[in-house]
Amino acid sequence: MKSHSPASKPSFPESCTSLLSKHLTDAVWSALAEKKTAAGFTLEQAIRSGVEQVDSGVGVYAGDAESYDLFAPLLAPIIKEYHGSAGPHPATDFSCDALPEVSPEAASRVISTRIRVGRNLANFPLGAAISRVQRLDVEKQISEALSNLPPPMQGQYQSLSTMSAEQNESLIARHLLFKNEDRFMASGNLMRDWPEGRGLFLSEDESFSAWVNEEDQLRIIALKQGGDVRGVFALLAEAVTALSAQLTFDFSEQLGYLASCPTNLGTSMRASVHMSLPVLGQNEKVLKRHAEALGLQVRGQHGEHSVSEGAVYDISNRMRLGVTEVAAVSHLIHGINRLAELDE
Ligand code: ADP
Ligand code: CIR
């Protein structure tokens, strides 16, 4: 659909290394600048985050499922470069028995293990384009599904709007809740009407949680102290199965589970360990080079765009599309076993 007059193609500073700045060529801009999805989402909206936040790694958010088709000349190369695959995406496979063992050297360094997947409801726009009323509807549908979960996932949902500041800070500090500010998401229009419609579900023992209406409509999360990757994966699998029986998620054969950020397509899974790497951590550039070569991502101890403390790093799988869940977690385990060897 054509309809509005776009401004000229944005420029990026020379220092900018985002995937957006690399793949938004003149030809791509001319082909897409006037396009709009049926829900009214434009290229300018999709790229606003990377245009305003020039230190973005990626710089784009999809507004709806159609964005991935309509803006494919821009998004497909970004997806291919990030994941090493542009699909098709294999069938879901949460088979825990096939996982390799975490080595004793790695296990002794792992403080905690967290695995999450993102999901969005079919027939709703994604966070960058969703309306306030639609977001509240999503919260209602998801919180109802969460309230039907059996043990060990059984627990309570709490809206962000009803949390005290102290409770909110404590949950964030304990790695259970998303932060209240993300300038990348704010520029991408994902923080509208904050905190309304957002919330946290926590199981009784806190090892299962779910985030509602953050970057994606649902983040399904298993988190335990220690390095029992298999146990965490099994808990996540149980929760995903139980929620998938109640909710219909946005899915495409090519791109797997659809997500706001192209980095979260496919399995939409990030499996991470908080790991102490005192030797490698002496030079973060070297650590990041090793991790990259192993297909892993290094984050700080308080999540994306945070810095690390005391040589403890968040190490996770980088690729989420074109691999199964079990393959991505196996990849993480082989990778952390190798990092532990390198740290010896
Ligand atoms: P996401 O993983 O959902 O993309 P973040 O990188 O922002 O988002 O991480 C979300 C939260 O999860 C942060 O508080 C982060 O510290 C926490 N976290 C991630 N991995 C682990 C882990 N292995 N152990 C404990 N907390 C973790
Ligand atoms: C960025 O482009 O830096 C932010 N929009 C966050 C991208 C998602 N990060 C990631 O690597 N999974």
Side-chain angles (χ1 to χ4, degrees), residues 127-162:
I130 200 165
S131 72
R132 176 178 167 267
V133 170
Q134 288 170 319
R135 194 187 300 107
L136 291 171
D137 191 2
V138 166
E139 182 189 32
K140 184 164 176 288
Q141 290 192 31
I142 294 180
S143 56
E144 268 171 26
L146 289 164
S147 72
N148 291 329
L149 290 175
M153 286 91 67
Q154 208 166 55
Q156 292 294 324
Y157 178 74
Q158 191 176 1
S159 291
L160 216 58
S161 334
T162 66

PDB file of all heavy atoms in Angstrom, residues 127-162:
ATOM      1  N   GLY A 127       4.701  -5.023  19.486  1.00  0.00           N
ATOM      2  CA  GLY A 127       4.773  -3.904  20.440  1.00  0.00           C
ATOM      3  C   GLY A 127       4.952  -2.516  19.832  1.00  0.00           C
ATOM      4  O   GLY A 127       4.473  -1.534  20.388  1.00  0.00           O
ATOM      5  N   ALA A 128       5.624  -2.423  18.686  1.00  0.00           N
ATOM      6  CA  ALA A 128       5.873  -1.099  18.101  1.00  0.00           C
ATOM      7  C   ALA A 128       4.608  -0.504  17.479  1.00  0.00           C
ATOM      8  O   ALA A 128       4.546   0.696  17.238  1.00  0.00           O
ATOM      9  CB  ALA A 128       6.973  -1.200  17.042  1.00  0.00           C
ATOM     10  N   ALA A 129       3.606  -1.350  17.227  1.00  0.00           N
ATOM     11  CA  ALA A 129       2.417  -0.842  16.530  1.00  0.00           C
ATOM     12  C   ALA A 129       1.113  -1.127  17.274  1.00  0.00           C
ATOM     13  O   ALA A 129       0.056  -0.709  16.833  1.00  0.00           O
ATOM     14  CB  ALA A 129       2.345  -1.459  15.129  1.00  0.00           C
ATOM     15  N   ILE A 130       1.216  -1.819  18.392  1.00  0.00           N
ATOM     16  CA  ILE A 130      -0.017  -2.225  19.091  1.00  0.00           C
ATOM     17  C   ILE A 130      -0.697  -1.003  19.735  1.00  0.00           C
ATOM     18  O   ILE A 130      -0.016  -0.060  20.169  1.00  0.00           O
ATOM     19  CB  ILE A 130       0.320  -3.315  20.147  1.00  0.00           C
ATOM     20  CG1 ILE A 130      -0.947  -4.100  20.525  1.00  0.00           C
ATOM     21  CG2 ILE A 130       0.988  -2.712  21.381  1.00  0.00           C
ATOM     22  CD1 ILE A 130      -0.635  -5.404  21.255  1.00  0.00           C
ATOM     23  N   SER A 131      -2.025  -1.016  19.791  1.00  0.00           N
ATOM     24  CA  SER A 131      -2.736   0.100  20.440  1.00  0.00           C
ATOM     25  C   SER A 131      -2.852  -0.201  21.940  1.00  0.00           C
ATOM     26  O   SER A 131      -2.668  -1.345  22.373  1.00  0.00           O
ATOM     27  CB  SER A 131      -4.134   0.271  19.844  1.00  0.00           C
ATOM     28  OG  SER A 131      -4.960  -0.804  20.270  1.00  0.00           O
ATOM     29  N   ARG A 132      -3.234   0.812  22.688  1.00  0.00           N
ATOM     30  CA  ARG A 132      -3.381   0.654  24.138  1.00  0.00           C
ATOM     31  C   ARG A 132      -4.450  -0.399  24.443  1.00  0.00           C
ATOM     32  O   ARG A 132      -4.252  -1.280  25.290  1.00  0.00           O
ATOM     33  CB  ARG A 132      -3.748   2.020  24.728  1.00  0.00           C
ATOM     34  CG  ARG A 132      -4.022   2.013  26.178  1.00  0.00           C
ATOM     35  CD  ARG A 132      -4.326   3.404  26.719  1.00  0.00           C
ATOM     36  NE  ARG A 132      -4.880   3.242  28.048  1.00  0.00           N
ATOM     37  CZ  ARG A 132      -6.185   3.159  28.297  1.00  0.00           C
ATOM     38  NH1 ARG A 132      -7.057   3.269  27.321  1.00  0.00           N
ATOM     39  NH2 ARG A 132      -6.602   2.974  29.532  1.00  0.00           N
ATOM     40  N   VAL A 133      -5.552  -0.325  23.742  1.00  0.00           N
ATOM     41  CA  VAL A 133      -6.650  -1.265  23.996  1.00  0.00           C
ATOM     42  C   VAL A 133      -6.231  -2.692  23.633  1.00  0.00           C
ATOM     43  O   VAL A 133      -6.495  -3.647  24.378  1.00  0.00           O
ATOM     44  CB  VAL A 133      -7.913  -0.821  23.194  1.00  0.00           C
ATOM     45  CG1 VAL A 133      -8.996  -1.884  23.231  1.00  0.00           C
ATOM     46  CG2 VAL A 133      -8.421   0.495  23.754  1.00  0.00           C
ATOM     47  N   GLN A 134      -5.544  -2.840  22.500  1.00  0.00           N
ATOM     48  CA  GLN A 134      -5.070  -4.182  22.104  1.00  0.00           C
ATOM     49  C   GLN A 134      -4.074  -4.730  23.127  1.00  0.00           C
ATOM     50  O   GLN A 134      -4.094  -5.913  23.464  1.00  0.00           O
ATOM     51  CB  GLN A 134      -4.398  -4.119  20.729  1.00  0.00           C
ATOM     52  CG  GLN A 134      -5.356  -3.925  19.581  1.00  0.00           C
ATOM     53  CD  GLN A 134      -4.617  -3.639  18.285  1.00  0.00           C
ATOM     54  OE1 GLN A 134      -3.643  -2.899  18.250  1.00  0.00           O
ATOM     55  NE2 GLN A 134      -5.092  -4.244  17.213  1.00  0.00           N
ATOM     56  N   ARG A 135      -3.208  -3.857  23.638  1.00  0.00           N
ATOM     57  CA  ARG A 135      -2.206  -4.307  24.618  1.00  0.00           C
ATOM     58  C   ARG A 135      -2.883  -4.829  25.883  1.00  0.00           C
ATOM     59  O   ARG A 135      -2.493  -5.841  26.460  1.00  0.00           O
ATOM     60  CB  ARG A 135      -1.239  -3.164  24.948  1.00  0.00           C
ATOM     61  CG  ARG A 135       0.008  -3.633  25.669  1.00  0.00           C
ATOM     62  CD  ARG A 135       0.905  -2.507  26.154  1.00  0.00           C
ATOM     63  NE  ARG A 135       1.395  -1.659  25.101  1.00  0.00           N
ATOM     64  CZ  ARG A 135       0.977  -0.414  24.876  1.00  0.00           C
ATOM     65  NH1 ARG A 135       0.038   0.142  25.641  1.00  0.00           N
ATOM     66  NH2 ARG A 135       1.475   0.304  23.895  1.00  0.00           N
ATOM     67  N   LEU A 136      -3.942  -4.112  26.301  1.00  0.00           N
ATOM     68  CA  LEU A 136      -4.675  -4.554  27.499  1.00  0.00           C
ATOM     69  C   LEU A 136      -5.375  -5.889  27.243  1.00  0.00           C
ATOM     70  O   LEU A 136      -5.445  -6.750  28.133  1.00  0.00           O
ATOM     71  CB  LEU A 136      -5.687  -3.480  27.925  1.00  0.00           C
ATOM     72  CG  LEU A 136      -5.044  -2.199  28.485  1.00  0.00           C
ATOM     73  CD1 LEU A 136      -6.088  -1.103  28.667  1.00  0.00           C
ATOM     74  CD2 LEU A 136      -4.318  -2.475  29.805  1.00  0.00           C
ATOM     75  N   ASP A 137      -5.851  -6.084  26.030  1.00  0.00           N
ATOM     76  CA  ASP A 137      -6.488  -7.349  25.655  1.00  0.00           C
ATOM     77  C   ASP A 137      -5.445  -8.486  25.701  1.00  0.00           C
ATOM     78  O   ASP A 137      -5.702  -9.575  26.232  1.00  0.00           O
ATOM     79  CB  ASP A 137      -7.092  -7.198  24.248  1.00  0.00           C
ATOM     80  CG  ASP A 137      -7.992  -8.352  23.862  1.00  0.00           C
ATOM     81  OD1 ASP A 137      -8.191  -9.262  24.691  1.00  0.00           O
ATOM     82  OD2 ASP A 137      -8.483  -8.358  22.717  1.00  0.00           O
ATOM     83  N   VAL A 138      -4.267  -8.204  25.183  1.00  0.00           N
ATOM     84  CA  VAL A 138      -3.178  -9.194  25.215  1.00  0.00           C
ATOM     85  C   VAL A 138      -2.852  -9.554  26.665  1.00  0.00           C
ATOM     86  O   VAL A 138      -2.710 -10.732  27.018  1.00  0.00           O
ATOM     87  CB  VAL A 138      -1.920  -8.643  24.479  1.00  0.00           C
ATOM     88  CG1 VAL A 138      -0.690  -9.486  24.778  1.00  0.00           C
ATOM     89  CG2 VAL A 138      -2.169  -8.558  22.978  1.00  0.00           C
ATOM     90  N   GLU A 139      -2.747  -8.527  27.520  1.00  0.00           N
ATOM     91  CA  GLU A 139      -2.430  -8.783  28.938  1.00  0.00           C
ATOM     92  C   GLU A 139      -3.492  -9.691  29.558  1.00  0.00           C
ATOM     93  O   GLU A 139      -3.175 -10.639  30.287  1.00  0.00           O
ATOM     94  CB  GLU A 139      -2.348  -7.470  29.722  1.00  0.00           C
ATOM     95  CG  GLU A 139      -1.980  -7.701  31.202  1.00  0.00           C
ATOM     96  CD  GLU A 139      -2.098  -6.452  32.066  1.00  0.00           C
ATOM     97  OE1 GLU A 139      -2.964  -5.598  31.794  1.00  0.00           O
ATOM     98  OE2 GLU A 139      -1.306  -6.343  33.034  1.00  0.00           O
ATOM     99  N   LYS A 140      -4.750  -9.431  29.223  1.00  0.00           N
ATOM    100  CA  LYS A 140      -5.850 -10.207  29.800  1.00  0.00           C
ATOM    101  C   LYS A 140      -5.753 -11.668  29.336  1.00  0.00           C
ATOM    102  O   LYS A 140      -5.799 -12.596  30.162  1.00  0.00           O
ATOM    103  CB  LYS A 140      -7.179  -9.582  29.362  1.00  0.00           C
ATOM    104  CG  LYS A 140      -8.402 -10.206  29.951  1.00  0.00           C
ATOM    105  CD  LYS A 140      -9.605  -9.262  29.753  1.00  0.00           C
ATOM    106  CE  LYS A 140     -10.886  -9.887  30.242  1.00  0.00           C
ATOM    107  NZ  LYS A 140     -11.369 -10.965  29.370  1.00  0.00           N
ATOM    108  N   GLN A 141      -5.586 -11.866  28.038  1.00  0.00           N
ATOM    109  CA  GLN A 141      -5.535 -13.237  27.510  1.00  0.00           C
ATOM    110  C   GLN A 141      -4.348 -14.013  28.083  1.00  0.00           C
ATOM    111  O   GLN A 141      -4.460 -15.174  28.472  1.00  0.00           O
ATOM    112  CB  GLN A 141      -5.412 -13.218  25.984  1.00  0.00           C
ATOM    113  CG  GLN A 141      -6.675 -12.753  25.300  1.00  0.00           C
ATOM    114  CD  GLN A 141      -6.628 -13.012  23.793  1.00  0.00           C
ATOM    115  OE1 GLN A 141      -6.007 -13.960  23.336  1.00  0.00           O
ATOM    116  NE2 GLN A 141      -7.287 -12.157  23.028  1.00  0.00           N
ATOM    117  N   ILE A 142      -3.189 -13.341  28.135  1.00  0.00           N
ATOM    118  CA  ILE A 142      -1.987 -14.044  28.607  1.00  0.00           C
ATOM    119  C   ILE A 142      -2.065 -14.297  30.117  1.00  0.00           C
ATOM    120  O   ILE A 142      -1.734 -15.396  30.583  1.00  0.00           O
ATOM    121  CB  ILE A 142      -0.703 -13.275  28.223  1.00  0.00           C
ATOM    122  CG1 ILE A 142      -0.549 -13.278  26.694  1.00  0.00           C
ATOM    123  CG2 ILE A 142       0.520 -13.872  28.891  1.00  0.00           C
ATOM    124  CD1 ILE A 142       0.670 -12.557  26.160  1.00  0.00           C
ATOM    125  N   SER A 143      -2.535 -13.318  30.889  1.00  0.00           N
ATOM    126  CA  SER A 143      -2.562 -13.535  32.340  1.00  0.00           C
ATOM    127  C   SER A 143      -3.574 -14.628  32.693  1.00  0.00           C
ATOM    128  O   SER A 143      -3.363 -15.386  33.640  1.00  0.00           O
ATOM    129  CB  SER A 143      -2.800 -12.236  33.111  1.00  0.00           C
ATOM    130  OG  SER A 143      -3.980 -11.633  32.678  1.00  0.00           O
ATOM    131  N   GLU A 144      -4.644 -14.736  31.904  1.00  0.00           N
ATOM    132  CA  GLU A 144      -5.606 -15.824  32.145  1.00  0.00           C
ATOM    133  C   GLU A 144      -4.951 -17.185  31.882  1.00  0.00           C
ATOM    134  O   GLU A 144      -5.094 -18.123  32.679  1.00  0.00           O
ATOM    135  CB  GLU A 144      -6.828 -15.657  31.239  1.00  0.00           C
ATOM    136  CG  GLU A 144      -7.930 -14.860  31.933  1.00  0.00           C
ATOM    137  CD  GLU A 144      -9.083 -14.486  31.006  1.00  0.00           C
ATOM    138  OE1 GLU A 144      -9.319 -15.206  30.007  1.00  0.00           O
ATOM    139  OE2 GLU A 144      -9.726 -13.473  31.302  1.00  0.00           O
ATOM    140  N   ALA A 145      -4.230 -17.270  30.776  1.00  0.00           N
ATOM    141  CA  ALA A 145      -3.539 -18.539  30.441  1.00  0.00           C
ATOM    142  C   ALA A 145      -2.533 -18.885  31.541  1.00  0.00           C
ATOM    143  O   ALA A 145      -2.416 -20.054  31.965  1.00  0.00           O
ATOM    144  CB  ALA A 145      -2.850 -18.430  29.088  1.00  0.00           C
ATOM    145  N   LEU A 146      -1.828 -17.876  32.036  1.00  0.00           N
ATOM    146  CA  LEU A 146      -0.826 -18.122  33.087  1.00  0.00           C
ATOM    147  C   LEU A 146      -1.490 -18.612  34.379  1.00  0.00           C
ATOM    148  O   LEU A 146      -0.926 -19.439  35.101  1.00  0.00           O
ATOM    149  CB  LEU A 146      -0.019 -16.842  33.348  1.00  0.00           C
ATOM    150  CG  LEU A 146       0.959 -16.434  32.230  1.00  0.00           C
ATOM    151  CD1 LEU A 146       1.395 -14.977  32.398  1.00  0.00           C
ATOM    152  CD2 LEU A 146       2.186 -17.348  32.216  1.00  0.00           C
ATOM    153  N   SER A 147      -2.688 -18.103  34.638  1.00  0.00           N
ATOM    154  CA  SER A 147      -3.360 -18.482  35.890  1.00  0.00           C
ATOM    155  C   SER A 147      -3.846 -19.932  35.859  1.00  0.00           C
ATOM    156  O   SER A 147      -4.196 -20.490  36.889  1.00  0.00           O
ATOM    157  CB  SER A 147      -4.518 -17.527  36.196  1.00  0.00           C
ATOM    158  OG  SER A 147      -5.568 -17.789  35.293  1.00  0.00           O
ATOM    159  N   ASN A 148      -3.844 -20.546  34.659  1.00  0.00           N
ATOM    160  CA  ASN A 148      -4.288 -21.947  34.546  1.00  0.00           C
ATOM    161  C   ASN A 148      -3.133 -22.944  34.602  1.00  0.00           C
ATOM    162  O   ASN A 148      -3.344 -24.136  34.386  1.00  0.00           O
ATOM    163  CB  ASN A 148      -4.988 -22.164  33.195  1.00  0.00           C
ATOM    164  CG  ASN A 148      -6.314 -21.428  33.141  1.00  0.00           C
ATOM    165  OD1 ASN A 148      -6.957 -21.263  34.167  1.00  0.00           O
ATOM    166  ND2 ASN A 148      -6.702 -20.992  31.957  1.00  0.00           N
ATOM    167  N   LEU A 149      -1.908 -22.462  34.799  1.00  0.00           N
ATOM    168  CA  LEU A 149      -0.768 -23.393  34.743  1.00  0.00           C
ATOM    169  C   LEU A 149      -0.743 -24.318  35.958  1.00  0.00           C
ATOM    170  O   LEU A 149      -1.000 -23.880  37.084  1.00  0.00           O
ATOM    171  CB  LEU A 149       0.553 -22.616  34.659  1.00  0.00           C
ATOM    172  CG  LEU A 149       0.818 -21.891  33.345  1.00  0.00           C
ATOM    173  CD1 LEU A 149       2.100 -21.068  33.436  1.00  0.00           C
ATOM    174  CD2 LEU A 149       0.912 -22.871  32.183  1.00  0.00           C
ATOM    175  N   PRO A 150      -0.385 -25.584  35.727  1.00  0.00           N
ATOM    176  CA  PRO A 150      -0.281 -26.521  36.853  1.00  0.00           C
ATOM    177  C   PRO A 150       1.069 -26.353  37.564  1.00  0.00           C
ATOM    178  O   PRO A 150       1.967 -25.696  37.031  1.00  0.00           O
ATOM    179  CB  PRO A 150      -0.333 -27.887  36.147  1.00  0.00           C
ATOM    180  CG  PRO A 150       0.272 -27.628  34.795  1.00  0.00           C
ATOM    181  CD  PRO A 150      -0.069 -26.209  34.434  1.00  0.00           C
ATOM    182  N   PRO A 151       1.255 -26.980  38.752  1.00  0.00           N
ATOM    183  CA  PRO A 151       2.579 -26.996  39.385  1.00  0.00           C
ATOM    184  C   PRO A 151       3.553 -27.691  38.426  1.00  0.00           C
ATOM    185  O   PRO A 151       3.095 -28.557  37.685  1.00  0.00           O
ATOM    186  CB  PRO A 151       2.368 -27.832  40.648  1.00  0.00           C
ATOM    187  CG  PRO A 151       0.901 -27.933  40.839  1.00  0.00           C
ATOM    188  CD  PRO A 151       0.251 -27.721  39.514  1.00  0.00           C
ATOM    189  N   PRO A 152       4.807 -27.354  38.383  1.00  0.00           N
ATOM    190  CA  PRO A 152       5.517 -26.411  39.256  1.00  0.00           C
ATOM    191  C   PRO A 152       5.449 -24.969  38.765  1.00  0.00           C
ATOM    192  O   PRO A 152       6.113 -24.110  39.334  1.00  0.00           O
ATOM    193  CB  PRO A 152       6.955 -26.923  39.175  1.00  0.00           C
ATOM    194  CG  PRO A 152       7.081 -27.460  37.776  1.00  0.00           C
ATOM    195  CD  PRO A 152       5.726 -28.007  37.420  1.00  0.00           C
ATOM    196  N   MET A 153       4.626 -24.709  37.701  1.00  0.00           N
ATOM    197  CA  MET A 153       4.613 -23.338  37.176  1.00  0.00           C
ATOM    198  C   MET A 153       3.588 -22.458  37.894  1.00  0.00           C
ATOM    199  O   MET A 153       3.591 -21.243  37.704  1.00  0.00           O
ATOM    200  CB  MET A 153       4.293 -23.344  35.666  1.00  0.00           C
ATOM    201  CG  MET A 153       5.422 -23.825  34.773  1.00  0.00           C
ATOM    202  SD  MET A 153       5.336 -25.592  34.485  1.00  0.00           S
ATOM    203  CE  MET A 153       3.877 -25.781  33.536  1.00  0.00           C
ATOM    204  N   GLN A 154       2.707 -23.069  38.681  1.00  0.00           N
ATOM    205  CA  GLN A 154       1.636 -22.311  39.331  1.00  0.00           C
ATOM    206  C   GLN A 154       2.172 -21.113  40.118  1.00  0.00           C
ATOM    207  O   GLN A 154       3.192 -21.226  40.785  1.00  0.00           O
ATOM    208  CB  GLN A 154       0.940 -23.244  40.312  1.00  0.00           C
ATOM    209  CG  GLN A 154      -0.487 -22.914  40.554  1.00  0.00           C
ATOM    210  CD  GLN A 154      -1.159 -24.085  41.265  1.00  0.00           C
ATOM    211  OE1 GLN A 154      -0.683 -24.498  42.316  1.00  0.00           O
ATOM    212  NE2 GLN A 154      -2.225 -24.598  40.696  1.00  0.00           N
ATOM    213  N   GLY A 155       1.482 -19.975  39.997  1.00  0.00           N
ATOM    214  CA  GLY A 155       1.964 -18.791  40.722  1.00  0.00           C
ATOM    215  C   GLY A 155       1.016 -17.631  40.581  1.00  0.00           C
ATOM    216  O   GLY A 155      -0.184 -17.826  40.411  1.00  0.00           O
ATOM    217  N   GLN A 156       1.549 -16.419  40.627  1.00  0.00           N
ATOM    218  CA  GLN A 156       0.736 -15.196  40.639  1.00  0.00           C
ATOM    219  C   GLN A 156       1.183 -14.234  39.565  1.00  0.00           C
ATOM    220  O   GLN A 156       2.380 -14.065  39.333  1.00  0.00           O
ATOM    221  CB  GLN A 156       0.929 -14.467  41.984  1.00  0.00           C
ATOM    222  CG  GLN A 156       0.371 -15.160  43.194  1.00  0.00           C
ATOM    223  CD  GLN A 156      -1.153 -15.238  43.155  1.00  0.00           C
ATOM    224  OE1 GLN A 156      -1.812 -14.324  42.682  1.00  0.00           O
ATOM    225  NE2 GLN A 156      -1.706 -16.356  43.635  1.00  0.00           N
ATOM    226  N   TYR A 157       0.204 -13.553  38.963  1.00  0.00           N
ATOM    227  CA  TYR A 157       0.500 -12.470  38.017  1.00  0.00           C
ATOM    228  C   TYR A 157       0.337 -11.133  38.718  1.00  0.00           C
ATOM    229  O   TYR A 157      -0.617 -10.936  39.461  1.00  0.00           O
ATOM    230  CB  TYR A 157      -0.454 -12.532  36.815  1.00  0.00           C
ATOM    231  CG  TYR A 157      -0.206 -11.394  35.852  1.00  0.00           C
ATOM    232  CD1 TYR A 157       0.920 -11.403  35.029  1.00  0.00           C
ATOM    233  CD2 TYR A 157      -1.059 -10.292  35.777  1.00  0.00           C
ATOM    234  CE1 TYR A 157       1.176 -10.353  34.153  1.00  0.00           C
ATOM    235  CE2 TYR A 157      -0.810  -9.239  34.905  1.00  0.00           C
ATOM    236  CZ  TYR A 157       0.303  -9.283  34.097  1.00  0.00           C
ATOM    237  OH  TYR A 157       0.563  -8.240  33.240  1.00  0.00           O
ATOM    238  N   GLN A 158       1.272 -10.247  38.485  1.00  0.00           N
ATOM    239  CA  GLN A 158       1.130  -8.901  39.045  1.00  0.00           C
ATOM    240  C   GLN A 158       1.395  -7.856  37.962  1.00  0.00           C
ATOM    241  O   GLN A 158       2.424  -7.906  37.267  1.00  0.00           O
ATOM    242  CB  GLN A 158       2.100  -8.702  40.217  1.00  0.00           C
ATOM    243  CG  GLN A 158       1.766  -7.425  40.977  1.00  0.00           C
ATOM    244  CD  GLN A 158       2.628  -7.197  42.210  1.00  0.00           C
ATOM    245  OE1 GLN A 158       3.519  -7.988  42.534  1.00  0.00           O
ATOM    246  NE2 GLN A 158       2.363  -6.101  42.890  1.00  0.00           N
ATOM    247  N   SER A 159       0.456  -6.910  37.819  1.00  0.00           N
ATOM    248  CA  SER A 159       0.651  -5.816  36.861  1.00  0.00           C
ATOM    249  C   SER A 159       1.732  -4.892  37.384  1.00  0.00           C
ATOM    250  O   SER A 159       1.812  -4.652  38.592  1.00  0.00           O
ATOM    251  CB  SER A 159      -0.627  -5.003  36.716  1.00  0.00           C
ATOM    252  OG  SER A 159      -1.591  -5.765  36.077  1.00  0.00           O
ATOM    253  N   LEU A 160       2.494  -4.337  36.474  1.00  0.00           N
ATOM    254  CA  LEU A 160       3.551  -3.401  36.859  1.00  0.00           C
ATOM    255  C   LEU A 160       2.942  -2.180  37.577  1.00  0.00           C
ATOM    256  O   LEU A 160       3.518  -1.646  38.520  1.00  0.00           O
ATOM    257  CB  LEU A 160       4.272  -2.938  35.589  1.00  0.00           C
ATOM    258  CG  LEU A 160       5.766  -2.707  35.656  1.00  0.00           C
ATOM    259  CD1 LEU A 160       6.471  -3.960  36.097  1.00  0.00           C
ATOM    260  CD2 LEU A 160       6.306  -2.249  34.307  1.00  0.00           C
ATOM    261  N   SER A 161       1.756  -1.778  37.124  1.00  0.00           N
ATOM    262  CA  SER A 161       1.108  -0.578  37.698  1.00  0.00           C
ATOM    263  C   SER A 161       0.790  -0.736  39.181  1.00  0.00           C
ATOM    264  O   SER A 161       0.660   0.258  39.888  1.00  0.00           O
ATOM    265  CB  SER A 161      -0.204  -0.265  36.984  1.00  0.00           C
ATOM    266  OG  SER A 161      -0.222  -0.738  35.696  1.00  0.00           O
ATOM    267  N   THR A 162       0.664  -1.979  39.657  1.00  0.00           N
ATOM    268  CA  THR A 162       0.293  -2.169  41.062  1.00  0.00           C
ATOM    269  C   THR A 162       1.510  -2.483  41.944  1.00  0.00           C
ATOM    270  O   THR A 162       1.365  -2.761  43.134  1.00  0.00           O
ATOM    271  CB  THR A 162      -0.716  -3.325  41.208  1.00  0.00           C
ATOM    272  OG1 THR A 162      -0.051  -4.539  40.847  1.00  0.00           O
ATOM    273  CG2 THR A 162      -1.946  -3.136  40.337  1.00  0.00           C
TER     274      THR A 162
END
